[in-house]
Amino acid sequence: MTAEAEADVDVDDGLVTVACNGSVRETIDRLQEAITASGFQVFARIDHADHAARIGLELRPTELLIFGKPEGGTQLMQDRQTAGIDLPSKALAWQDAAGDTWVTCNDASWLAARHGLGPASEAGVAAVEASTVAAVRQATGPAAV
């Protein structure tokens, strides 16, 4: 993640977590808008809290957005097919016990290291990083209030 994007960002074990303005639903709505405006496909949106409620369990608001571009992800999988376990990209918006909202996603450099992606994937990894960072910043930044 770039230095500019690192403000209010926590990176731990390959997970990038960013503080958000607004609710989980609002954050995922904004993220979905940013993703589709960038030409990415949204493959799924999963409301984990809703599914928990359907079986009588409680879970603070938690939504997952699964998105990507086949032309980018395929390049990474051509290098190492195991990258497909982490593709398409995912972003999880969640509310902590204090009521704060966060977005967590995989760090692209972690994904590259995890799968041993080589020089053939450098441009693809950089593109995944740039597009994910841009979308998350748009969905979570001050303008998102």
Side-chain angles (χ1 to χ4, degrees):
M1 187 156 281
T2 64
E4 182 180 273
E6 288 182 5
D8 297 325
V9 173
D10 181 37
V11 180
D12 185 29
D13 290 328
L15 296 175
V16 177
T17 300
V18 181
C20 301
N21 295 306
S23 71
V24 166
R25 182 166 305 280
E26 292 165 342
T27 298
I28 288 291
D29 286 345
R30 288 190 304 266
L31 186 57
Q32 186 167 341
E33 277 182 37
I35 291 296
T36 56
S38 296
F40 284 76
Q41 291 180 283
V42 172
F43 298 109
R45 181 173 174 166
I46 301 165
D47 186 336
H48 288 300
D50 179 60
H51 289 282
R54 290 179 193 192
I55 60 167
L57 298 174
E58 289 185 31
L59 181 66
R60 288 187 300 272
T62 307
E63 289 194 41
L64 179 70
L65 192 67
I66 302 172
F67 59 93
K69 279 187 178 179
E71 58 267 38
T74 301
Q75 289 177 343
L76 302 183
M77 289 184 280
Q78 286 174 328
D79 189 359
R80 295 282 302 203
Q81 279 185 286
T82 60
I85 194 74
D86 291 313
L87 297 170
S89 297
K90 298 163 204 68
L92 181 74
W94 52 281
Q95 184 184 76
D96 67 16
D100 295 323
T101 302
W102 304 86
V103 168
T104 300
C105 56
N106 285 325
D107 180 49
S109 59
W110 170 85
L111 187 142
R114 178 180 191 200
H115 296 285
L117 298 177
S121 293
E122 286 178 7
V125 170
V128 167
E129 176 80 7
S131 60
T132 302
V133 167
V136 168
R137 286 179 63 206
Q138 187 173 344
T140 63
V145 177

